[in-house]
Amino acid sequence: MAIEIDRLNELLLKMADENAPGREFSAAIAELARTGRFAHLRDVLPAVVYDELWQRYQSSPVAFVEEWEHLAHEMQQGFIQHARQRLTSLTRLQQAGTGHTPAWKAIQRALDGRQNDLLRAAVAAEFLDLVEPAVARATHLRECVVASPSSDEADRYLDEATRCYFFALFTACAVICRSVLEEAIKQKLPEGMTKLIRSRYRNAATLGNLLHEINNNLLATGIPAEFPRLANQVNDIGKRAVHHGLLSEDESRSCLQNAREALQLLLQQ
């Protein structure tokens, strides 16, 4: 059965239209005020809020109704955009005291304080946007088949690095690829060399340190001669990711593919 992402997007938008936080609340206030049933709000609103709304209504009933109808409309129409902004506010630095928050956004966020529908909608929308690009990236990879296992830690690192690549976290992918090889190498080194490296680098050997030791003791390690070249390429891209800025998709894919090929060499026996 084909999964139609466009249909899922349409369904999300429909659900957003129907369930945007604050829309029913604002529409209800407008309707009660318009039909002369404002007093019904006394039982559902805090006294201080009710008194303030009552004063505003008395000063201009028509304008009051129009304002709340407009708020309900804005909450519905702007929900997905506001949801994305809500999520972004958690992922980036926010400068204090800048910008003006429209009334409808402030009300919507206050009403959504416990339901978290803004965040839920934003995450759903972002993941839908990621589906097709992630599928395209996945087609560039093949199964990484090895003759012998490494460790649970190496498997988890590889899983995380690959998922980072799928979901466009390219710099994170390259950084974790270094950890994949570090962990796999440690599992393959002879016990004597492992003890020496732990002592020499105080239990903090980097991938570069490990590759230096391998190059100097290639026969003793039993590691294939082709392995260091691929591993060094992974290390170089990973270091660039850490020290010289964000990576492109091509750089991330190259790093991941080299890491997977290096693993196959390392674990071929």
Side-chain angles (χ1 to χ4, degrees):
M1 180 183 68
I3 299 177
E4 298 181 21
I5 304 303
D6 288 343
R7 289 183 61 188
L8 293 177
N9 272 313
E10 290 174 3
L11 179 59
L12 176 62
L13 291 174
K14 181 180 179 181
M15 294 173 66
D17 285 344
E18 295 173 351
N19 302 303
R23 183 185 65 82
E24 290 187 2
F25 173 79
S26 300
I29 290 179
E31 179 65 14
L32 290 173
R34 187 183 65 80
T35 56
R37 295 177 292 161
F38 196 96
H40 286 42
L41 294 172
R42 189 188 300 274
D43 296 331
V44 295
L45 295 176
V48 64
V49 176
Y50 176 84
D51 291 342
E52 181 175 345
L53 291 181
W54 174 243
Q55 290 176 7
R56 292 185 182 181
Y57 172 71
Q58 284 185 312
S59 65
S60 180
V62 174
F64 181 90
V65 172
E66 290 178 349
E67 177 186 2
W68 281 94
E69 287 178 341
H70 183 63
L71 286 173
H73 176 75
E74 287 185 317
M75 287 176 181
Q76 182 179 26
Q77 295 300 311
F79 174 57
I80 291 296
Q81 181 185 4
H82 185 203
R84 288 184 181 273
Q85 292 172 348
R86 173 74 180 98
L87 184 60
T88 300
S89 71
L90 301 178
T91 66
R92 300 184 182 182
L93 296 174
Q94 304 297 311
Q95 189 171 347
T98 59
H100 170 69
T101 302
W104 71 270
K105 287 187 178 182
I107 294 171
Q108 190 167 71
R109 188 170 296 193
L111 292 173
D112 192 45
R114 293 186 179 180
Q115 297 300 323
N116 293 317
D117 285 335
L118 283 165
L119 291 176
R120 190 171 290 108
V123 171
E126 292 221 353
F127 273 107
L128 286 176
D129 289 344
L130 289 171
V131 171
E132 293 299 345
V135 170
R137 293 185 190 106
T139 62
H140 291 134
L141 301 180
R142 297 292 181 266
E143 291 183 356
C144 189
V145 180
V146 296
S148 61
S150 177
S151 68
D152 289 341
E153 288 81 0
D155 285 341
R156 287 199 296 269
Y157 278 134
L158 181 61
D159 180 87
E160 187 167 331
T162 307
R163 291 176 188 273
C164 283
Y165 167 67
F166 289 162
F167 299 128
L169 302 173
F170 302 130
T171 302
C173 169
V175 172
I176 299 172
C177 280
R178 288 203 304 174
S179 298
V180 174
L181 295 188
E182 286 175 12
E183 177 61 28
I185 289 171
K186 290 174 183 177
Q187 300 301 317
K188 294 295 288 185
L189 291 177
E191 184 177 353
M193 183 172 291
T194 298
K195 291 180 179 179
L196 175 64
I197 290 174
R198 284 177 180 171
S199 174
R200 180 171 294 170
Y201 298 102
R202 298 181 180 180
N203 289 324
T206 65
L207 179 56
N209 298 145
L210 294 171
L211 291 174
H212 174 75
E213 297 297 333
I214 289 172
N215 282 327
N216 290 340
N217 302 275
L218 194 59
L219 293 178
T221 63
I223 290 176
E226 303 92 335
F227 174 83
R229 177 184 61 82
L230 289 169
N232 273 306
Q233 291 177 356
V234 172
N235 192 42
D236 289 343
I237 296 177
K239 287 194 295 185
R240 191 157 69 248
V242 173
H243 300 294
H244 300 289
L246 302 177
L247 297 186
S248 68
E249 179 175 344
D250 288 344
E251 289 173 314
S252 174
R253 180 171 62 251
S254 175
C255 187
L256 179 61
Q257 288 175 330
N258 285 335
R260 292 161 68 91
E261 188 176 344
L263 283 174
Q264 287 179 304
L265 286 171
L266 188 66
L267 304 174
Q268 64 183 3
Q269 295 178 348

